[in-house]
Amino acid sequence: MDVNAAVAAAAAIAGVLTGVIAMLAFRWSERDQKRPTRTSLHTDAVLPPGVDTVLSVLSSSAVVLDEGDAVVKASSAAYALGLVRGGKLSVEPMLQMARDTRRDGEIRQVELDLPRRGTGRGEALAVSARVAPLGSRLVLLLVEDLTEARRIEAVRRDFVANVSHELKTPVGALSLLSEAVMDASDDPEAVERFAGRMQIEATRLTNLVQELIDLSRVQNDDPLEDAEPVRVDELVAEAVDRCRHQAGAKQITMAAGGTADLHVWGNRGQLAAALGNLVENAVNYSPARTRVGIAARRITVPGGDLIELAVTDQGIGISDRDKERIFERFYRVDPARSRATGGTGLGLAIVKHVVASHGGEVTVWSAEGQGSTFTLRLPEAGAARDRAQQHPDLDDEDGGAPDSSPYEPLPAPEVLP
């Protein structure tokens, strides 16, 4: 009997303990559910009605602070920029702005440079911060990322400065030469000499303006709107004809070879201009009595077949330092030689944009004193057409990474006089 009583008492105690534990677990769960999260700290309790919805659709990074500088609400973009850490606003200038606005109610705005998170290279984010009161107790901070806008503005400013400088040279030369012609009106030989120089400068100015127009066109137009299958051998023949006179004057042999009956998909005019620029550069920067080769072949890659066009010369070559910049607008490896050959520094920039807009890439191999090989890789006609139809907004701006090894010349080239 005593044993049964002891068992019953133990069962009763166990039941009581189980009930107490269940009640404590329920209360603990309720407290966890009421605990504020990272993106909604006290949002329901203190934000005015509708503010949370408005902040969620803003493109700017938003942070709401209470009277104790605690973060009440912060958008995910604010965390991504590193504005909020550990529930606190981590940028001291912004925090001071918030305190000043809380004190006098005045709206404030400032532009700041913030260090990038996760980088040790000293790179900075350019932001615009605006602080305004939100009700009687809260302060709203809106931060706009200006980094990309600053970069675009710097590119535009550099482009305008470069264009102004490049145009000033031939225009100034024409002005001086015209004065010289007027002063030498009674000297036919001097007039003829100055007139010849004027013609050279006028041609340089015309080429510069035309290449600026071409660059603007390839940057703004969609080449696939007027795309068609383009025969590679026709592009090669057109590029050779374009440079035949210059090559003949320097006794440069031009040879074309490779796989026949290849096609690429794209804008014929732009592709012809890109290949023509490469061949023209090869001729202009090659010594007399050397060889320029153009080779075409099909290569297989995981994404589909590519058509590879390589232009090889035996010219002065390009240093490793210059190879990283040769596709920049107005950049010249040798400015003095470029002016002697009529170069504008825009030809390779046009090549880069044309190839990128066609979904391809351009690479360069070069060694000083040994020559250079520029290689265009473009999707073959069928694969490129299918890719363009599946991805109509495709636009690859990458281009110009140096190739690690020289192009292997294809056999049996056709020598062109």
Side-chain angles (χ1 to χ4, degrees), residues 187-209:
D187 187 349
E189 293 184 1
V191 169
E192 184 178 358
R193 183 172 66 255
F194 292 142
R197 292 291 306 277
M198 290 178 67
Q199 187 174 14
I200 293 173
E201 295 298 334
T203 301
R204 178 177 298 169
L205 181 60
T206 301
N207 292 339
L208 176 59
V209 172

Side-chain angles (χ1 to χ4, degrees), residues 138-156:
L138 305 179
V139 173
L140 172 64
L141 171 67
L142 295 177
V143 179
E144 195 78 27
D145 188 354
L146 304 178
T147 307
E148 184 65 14
R150 289 264 189 95
R151 187 191 68 81
I152 293 174
E153 175 62 22
V155 171
R156 185 198 65 81

Side-chain angles (χ1 to χ4, degrees), residues 232-233 257-263 295-299 307-308 407 410-411:
V232 172
D233 53 0
T259 307
D261 198 28
L262 299 177
H263 294 76
R297 66 177 178 179
R298 179 188 293 108
I299 60 174
I307 301 302
E308 189 175 79
Y407 179 87
L410 296 176

